[in-house]
């Protein structure tokens, strides 16, 4: 086995170098307009292009912070490796594999039956509590997420959110 990782300290830079051209390419090939579909208001191409632009900005910031750390001589920390006494038990490893899949399945079924907004809120609360977030932080983040989703999709983009079979 390798005693040292040859990429240690360069992972942030590698991510930025790979992600910036990919996001730029997707930004360029994204359609700029959809004539005749939406003559008033926001065009459907706006949201993916804004997300790609935001991703490129974050990648540039990631590379800039990497360069700043490299120039200043700060030690660049990578993800910590668990020691043998901190290694997860087989039960924990099984839960870490099953819980995300179960929550995704719950999310899909919940979206069908109770709708997008309620299913998103329930799954967000359950996942944050599973990850160990405090109850107050969980409910604050979930309320903020729901408000942003409802405002962006419902009001700003005028996209009807699925209600679910129980509310139709």
């Amino acid at each position: 086995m390798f005693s040292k990782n040859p990429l240690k300290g360069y992972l942030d830079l590698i991510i930025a170098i790979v992600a910036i051209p990919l996001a730029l390419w997707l930004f360029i090939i994204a359609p700029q307009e959809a004539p005749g579909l939406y003559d008033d208001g926001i065009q459907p191409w706006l949201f993916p292009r804004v997300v790609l632009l935001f991703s490129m900005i974050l990648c540039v910031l990631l590379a800039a912070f990497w360069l700043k750390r490299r120039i200043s001589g700060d030690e660049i920390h990578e993800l910590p490796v668990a020691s043998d006494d901190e290694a997860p038990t087989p039960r924990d490893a099984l839960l870490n594999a099953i819980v995300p899949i179960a929550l995704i399945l719950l999310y899909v079924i919940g979206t069908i039956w109770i709708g997008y907004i309620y299913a998103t809120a329930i799954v967000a609360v359950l996942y944050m509590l599973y990850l160990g977030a405090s109850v107050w932080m969980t409910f604050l983040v979930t309320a903020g997420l729901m408000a942003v989703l409802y405002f962006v999709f419902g009001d700003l983009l005028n996209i009807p959110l699925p209600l679910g079979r129980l509310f139709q």
Side-chain angles (χ1 to χ4, degrees):
M1 295 300 292
F2 295 106
S3 61
K4 291 184 96 180
N5 184 356
L7 299 177
K8 183 176 177 156
Y10 292 95
L11 291 179
D12 288 345
L13 183 65
I14 292 170
I15 290 170
I17 289 174
V18 170
I20 290 172
L22 177 65
L24 183 62
W25 176 69
L26 289 171
F27 186 86
I28 291 170
I29 67 167
Q32 294 184 1
E33 60 183 64
L37 290 179
Y38 301 92
D39 292 332
D40 60 334
I42 297 174
Q43 297 287 323
W45 53 265
L46 179 67
F47 185 69
R49 292 187 81 150
V50 167
V51 169
L52 289 168
L53 185 63
F54 187 65
S55 298
M56 286 188 282
I57 291 169
L58 289 177
C59 288
V60 167
L61 288 174
L62 182 67
F65 285 128
W66 178 87
L67 185 61
K68 179 184 174 208
R69 283 186 311 213
R70 184 61 72 178
I71 290 172
S72 66
D74 291 343
E75 185 177 335
I76 297 175
H77 299 284
E78 297 296 336
L79 295 174
V81 178
S83 62
D84 290 336
D85 58 337
E86 296 175 357
T89 63
R91 179 183 178 272
D92 292 338
L94 184 63
L95 277 177
N96 289 339
I98 291 176
V99 168
I101 295 170
L103 286 174
I104 290 171
L105 185 62
L106 176 70
Y107 187 53
V108 171
I109 293 169
T111 302
I112 293 169
W113 284 99
I114 60 174
Y116 173 75
I117 289 289
Y118 298 119
T120 302
I122 290 169
V123 170
V125 166
L126 291 175
Y127 201 60
M128 287 179 69
L129 290 175
Y130 172 72
L131 291 175
S134 70
V135 175
W136 285 108
M137 184 58 70
T138 298
F139 288 110
L140 285 175
V141 168
T142 303
L145 174 68
M146 295 301 96
V148 167
L149 285 175
Y150 188 79
F151 172 72
V152 168
F153 288 103
D155 291 340
L156 187 63
L157 297 174
N158 292 325
I159 297 173
L161 298 172
L163 294 175
R165 293 183 181 166
L166 293 178
F167 300 109
Q168 289 182 350

